[in-house]
Amino acid sequence: MLELTSNQSLETVQERKTVLLVDDEAVIRDLCKRVLNGYDIVEAADGQEAYEIFLRGGIDVILTDVMMPRLDGIELLKKLKEREPTMVVIIMTGFADKDLILKALKADADDFITKPLNLLQLKSAIEKALVKKALKEEIANLRNLDRFKTVFLSLISHKFRTPITSISLFLQNLAAGIIDPSDDGAKEHIKLIYNEACYLGNLVTDLLTFSSVMDSGGGLHLEPCTLNLLLPKILSEAHIIAARPGVTTHITQQTIPELMLDRDKISFALRQVIDNAIKFSREDGVVCVNMRNAEGQCEISIEDNGIGISKDQLPKLFEKFYQVDADRTGQVRGFGLGLFYAREFIRMHGGSISIESEENQGTRVLITLPNTASQSP
């Protein structure tokens, strides 16, 4: 969370910030560049070029002229806001045209600078724009968090309702004498109800885990960590919890230097991937975990020969609440947050995670962590 205090100068906000200057006149771009010497400057000669640069990422503020070839400033503004509503765009114009200003305001322009340029005004506008951008992003994060809570509560209600209803109906029938406990069919129902109760217990455990994850704060709590000891422990625990005796697990690992890691977050990420590999294995499946040094980074691969994932589902796997419905029953269990948080935590350490899979051919997950993983949060 970014908060500005009375002791925090605007110069702090502008550290390493990038401004995209958009104008078809090179002399204007050069003038702006000289004034904004405390920023990283990227230049574009028209709106189309500017939009292509923006799509590559890394832009904090866009300062654009209105009258330009290919794509004018107003159309550029509209496209930018559609793509990234929190992007701050300052319009430069030499026209005092009310219709033009209204169009820019309707397209959510953040500020205006008139030509000929007032250099002091230009610098001040950029500084204010960066503060505004930080506030916009903070508001967007709060809104996203609110939506997340709403969806999560709805999902919890849905996940708990089915097993609770099943257990309740069975107990009602049992109390009314409709079910004879000694009957073979009743014994089968009792087994199913027991499984539902175990499922509810697992849901509660998952809820406590995610609650801990979401309350742990945005930063990393780094400590020396030996992955050669941590990984076998996680694999052993996952195999016990999964209760799938037919699945065989193998681990091979090179000696990895001690890394500065957030032990809880990395353990969570590895556990989610390993749990999935065991969960989606066949009854007599094999899960192989391999860890090795590779060009200055630690590579961990988790591979199974299970049911695999269709190609159309692969891009969605890291989305919040998305779950693979392997049996196409529409009754996928769990909350669909494991891989989302796993990727977040791995990225926080400067690493990456990727998934390769084919239906009925198994899945391979590759996790990389730099051997100097996250020396600072």
Side-chain angles (χ1 to χ4, degrees):
M1 180 181 294
L2 177 58
E3 297 179 353
L4 300 180
T5 67
S6 57
N7 296 323
Q8 188 177 23
S9 67
L10 291 173
E11 283 74 14
T12 304
V13 181
Q14 73 181 44
E15 285 178 2
R16 294 186 297 276
K17 299 299 183 180
T18 301
V19 178
L20 173 56
L21 300 177
V22 193
D23 200 301
D24 57 338
E25 296 185 44
V27 65
I28 298 295
R29 299 199 305 271
D30 186 60
L31 178 62
C32 294
K33 190 174 181 179
R34 290 174 183 271
V35 175
L36 303 174
N37 54 15
Y39 301 89
D40 292 331
I41 302 297
V42 181
E43 299 180 47
D46 58 64
Q48 185 60 41
E49 182 186 0
Y51 188 69
E52 291 168 1
I53 292 171
F54 159 77
L55 290 177
R56 295 200 289 267
I59 302 299
D60 296 295
V61 178
I62 296 177
L63 181 65
T64 180
D65 190 23
V66 175
M67 305 301 291
M68 294 182 296
R70 293 214 292 172
L71 187 70
D72 66 37
I74 301 299
E75 292 304 313
L76 171 63
L77 171 63
K78 290 177 181 177
K79 293 186 69 172
L80 291 169
K81 294 293 184 172
E82 286 175 4
R83 185 83 180 196
E84 187 177 328
T86 60
M87 175 55 66
V88 175
V89 183
I90 301 171
I91 299 292
M92 295 186 293
T93 177
F95 301 93
D97 187 334
K98 288 183 180 180
D99 288 339
L100 179 65
I101 293 173
L102 283 173
K103 285 181 182 178
L105 287 172
K106 285 180 180 178
D108 198 21
D110 294 280
D111 205 350
F112 295 89
I113 297 178
T114 57
K115 293 181 178 180
L117 296 175
N118 180 311
L119 301 185
L120 182 62
Q121 181 191 16
L122 173 61
K123 198 166 187 178
S124 175
I126 296 295
E127 290 172 347
K128 288 191 295 182
L130 286 167
V131 175
K132 186 173 184 178
K133 180 179 175 65
L135 293 174
K136 277 187 168 188
E137 290 175 346
E138 186 63 29
I139 291 169
N141 287 336
L142 290 172
R143 286 174 177 165
N144 287 336
L145 180 60
D146 188 54
R147 281 195 293 269
F148 171 76
K149 288 179 179 177
T150 300
V151 174
F152 192 37
L153 287 172
S154 175
L155 180 66
I156 290 171
S157 300
H158 174 73
K159 294 293 182 182
F160 275 79
R161 185 179 293 114
T162 300
I164 288 174
T165 300
S166 299
I167 294 171
S168 177
L169 286 173
F170 176 80
L171 292 176
Q172 287 177 39
N173 290 334
L174 187 63
I178 298 173
I179 295 177
D180 180 2
S182 62
D183 183 72
D184 289 339
K187 290 178 181 178
E188 185 64 28
H189 278 94
I190 290 171
K191 182 180 177 182
L192 292 174
I193 292 303
Y194 172 75
N195 289 337
E196 292 294 283
C198 290
Y199 168 57
L200 280 175
N202 290 334
L203 280 181
V204 172
T205 300
D206 287 346
L207 272 178
L208 292 173
T209 300
F210 288 123
S211 176
S212 174
V213 165
M214 288 183 268
D215 288 341
S216 62
L220 296 176
H221 304 286
L222 299 176
E223 59 180 302
C225 187
T226 305
L227 285 174
N228 290 98
L229 299 176
L230 183 63
L231 191 57
K233 182 174 181 291
I234 292 172
L235 183 61
S236 175
E237 290 174 350
H239 198 259
I240 292 170
I241 294 171
R244 302 196 67 192
V247 177
T248 305
T249 58
H250 296 287
I251 182 170
T252 57
Q253 51 182 344
Q254 296 178 353
T255 301
I256 303 297
E258 192 174 67
L259 302 180
M260 293 298 293
L261 303 171
D262 185 314
R263 184 183 300 273
D264 290 340
K265 286 183 170 63
I266 285 298
S267 296
F268 177 91
L270 292 172
R271 190 174 294 113
Q272 295 303 311
V273 176
I274 291 171
D275 283 352
N276 280 343
I278 295 173
K279 174 182 175 182
F280 290 107
S281 288
R282 304 182 191 282
E283 291 301 321
D284 58 349
V286 179
V287 174
C288 297
V289 179
N290 180 283
M291 183 167 65
R292 69 187 187 98
N293 280 303
E295 299 179 356
Q297 63 184 8
C298 168
E299 283 190 357
I300 303 170
S301 67
I302 298 97
E303 190 167 357
D304 66 72
N305 61 351
I307 59 177
I309 304 163
S310 64
K311 291 194 179 297
D312 64 308
Q313 290 182 310
L314 280 175
K316 306 174 185 176
L317 290 180
F318 295 107
E319 294 178 4
K320 281 181 180 176
F321 307 118
Y322 184 78
Q323 296 171 282
V324 175
D325 189 358
D327 300 321
R328 294 179 174 82
T329 63
Q331 297 294 322
V332 180
R333 300 197 158 189
F335 295 110
L337 290 171
L339 285 180
F340 171 80
Y341 279 110
R343 183 176 65 173
E344 289 296 300
F345 294 161
I346 290 167
R347 284 179 170 179
M348 288 170 71
H349 285 82
S352 65
I353 178 171
S354 60
I355 298 179
E356 300 172 359
S357 186
E358 289 186 28
E359 281 189 285
N360 301 314
Q361 298 297 317
T363 301
R364 180 174 183 266
V365 180
L366 180 65
I367 296 170
T368 65
L369 292 168
N371 279 350
T372 54
S374 294
Q375 297 300 318
S376 61

